Amino acid sequence: MSAAFWGGNTEGTKGALQTLRDAPFGQILLWLVAFGFVCYGIWRFIAAYFDLENRGDEEKGMFQRLALVVTGLIHVGLGVAMASLALGVGGSSDGGGASDWTAQVLQMPGGKWIVGIAALGILGAGVHYVIKGWKKKYKRYIQNNEMTQKLEPLLRWGFVSYGIVLAIVGVFLGFAAMNSDPSSAMGVGGALEYIRGLTGGQVLLGVTALGIIGFGIENFVEARYRIVPGVGHSSDIRSMAQAAKAKAKTEARSVSAG
């Protein structure tokens, strides 16, 4: 948002965290974020082991539970990386992180395939978030109340915006794999810079920034109001999807009665 309205460089995750580290009480905040990532990773392990998302024991369900374990490992790794940054051994924030690791992987046996698979995974995740936001699929697991209803437009755009950014990262990573050119790879900061370079980019960047803020708010909403299928909850609690369905039925009966 700052880059859109006041100029300057767009920042990726690492650069943003280093800015946080240098802010007042930044070290404490960075340690809290690192701890949060590790806790989130552990939560993914617990959700996979006890099947708290009701994925089941069939082939598809087991694959989805394995994906929870993989994302758990990734987040624990991110937490460790943030702890290293808090200790002052996290390296520079020159924005070359994506290109650096892509170059390292491309040098490995089958490196192009590894990078290509990673690109497809990131692109797929981006498309998933866009669809999830556009079709409002998040409503199925968020409690319906006055707060979530008011925030829904921001939640929806948050998913779509985050998905667009991820898709851009995935596409350019794919170019890096196809051309064996690590310089084509980019992280979140590079994707945001690409958006700013488009026609009307300043406005697009500002709108995307608002969406990413919305995605952050969505995470806060989930932390407080998410309905976990495998955990018992009050029968009075309804999801946003259930409330919308009940409202549609009531309106349909009213039209029929009229």
Side-chain angles (χ1 to χ4, degrees):
M1 190 73 80
S2 173
F5 290 104
W6 297 288
N9 296 325
T10 56
E11 288 284 4
T13 305
K14 185 175 180 180
L17 288 170
Q18 288 180 320
T19 300
L20 175 63
R21 181 187 63 184
D22 297 335
F25 305 105
Q27 290 288 105
I28 296 174
L29 292 173
L30 199 56
W31 276 111
L32 288 174
V33 172
F35 180 67
F37 264 83
V38 172
C39 288
Y40 184 72
I42 294 172
W43 153 247
R44 302 294 272 188
F45 300 149
I46 293 172
Y49 183 80
F50 292 104
D51 193 20
L52 298 183
E53 299 289 347
N54 288 350
R55 305 295 188 183
D57 296 325
E58 300 298 326
E59 184 176 335
K60 181 180 178 181
M62 293 303 293
F63 178 81
Q64 291 173 329
R65 290 166 71 178
L66 178 61
L68 290 175
V69 174
V70 173
T71 55
L73 290 171
I74 290 172
H75 283 85
V76 169
L78 287 171
V80 172
M82 290 178 194
S84 298
L85 190 62
L87 291 170
V89 293
S92 64
S93 60
D94 56 6
S99 297
D100 290 344
W101 75 258
T102 302
Q104 293 175 13
V105 175
L106 285 173
Q107 293 174 2
M108 298 168 55
K112 288 184 65 172
W113 289 102
I114 296 174
V115 175
I117 292 171
L120 287 175
I122 295 172
L123 176 60
V127 172
H128 168 74
Y129 277 119
V130 171
I131 293 174
K132 189 175 184 177
W134 191 257
K135 293 189 174 182
K136 301 182 179 181
K137 291 187 175 183
Y138 54 86
K139 283 187 169 186
R140 292 181 297 186
Y141 53 79
I142 295 181
Q143 294 179 29
N144 182 67
N145 55 48
E146 185 177 355
M147 176 67 72
T148 56
Q149 288 289 348
K150 286 181 178 179
L151 291 174
E152 190 197 348
L154 198 56
L155 305 184
R156 187 184 187 192
W157 182 238
F159 277 112
V160 173
S161 296
Y162 190 63
I164 290 172
V165 172
L166 282 183
I168 292 172
V169 173
V171 167
F172 278 92
L173 188 59
F175 288 153
M178 288 188 294
N179 302 322
S180 296
D181 178 17
S183 65
S184 299
M186 61 173 64
V188 172
L192 295 174
E193 191 62 41
Y194 173 78
I195 291 173
R196 183 164 64 173
L198 299 173
T199 303
Q202 290 292 107
V203 175
L204 290 174
L205 182 60
V207 172
T208 304
L210 180 63
I212 293 176
I213 292 172
F215 186 72
I217 292 174
E218 190 280 335
N219 278 253
F220 283 114
V221 169
E222 278 203 51
R224 175 62 182 87
Y225 297 114
R226 180 178 172 85
I227 298 173
V228 182
V231 177
H233 54 80
S234 171
S235 58
D236 295 332
I237 295 177
R238 294 194 300 174
S239 69
M240 296 179 74
Q242 290 172 326
K245 188 175 182 179
K247 182 179 179 181
K249 286 183 177 180
T250 301
E251 291 176 349
R253 284 196 295 266
S254 298
V255 171
S256 299

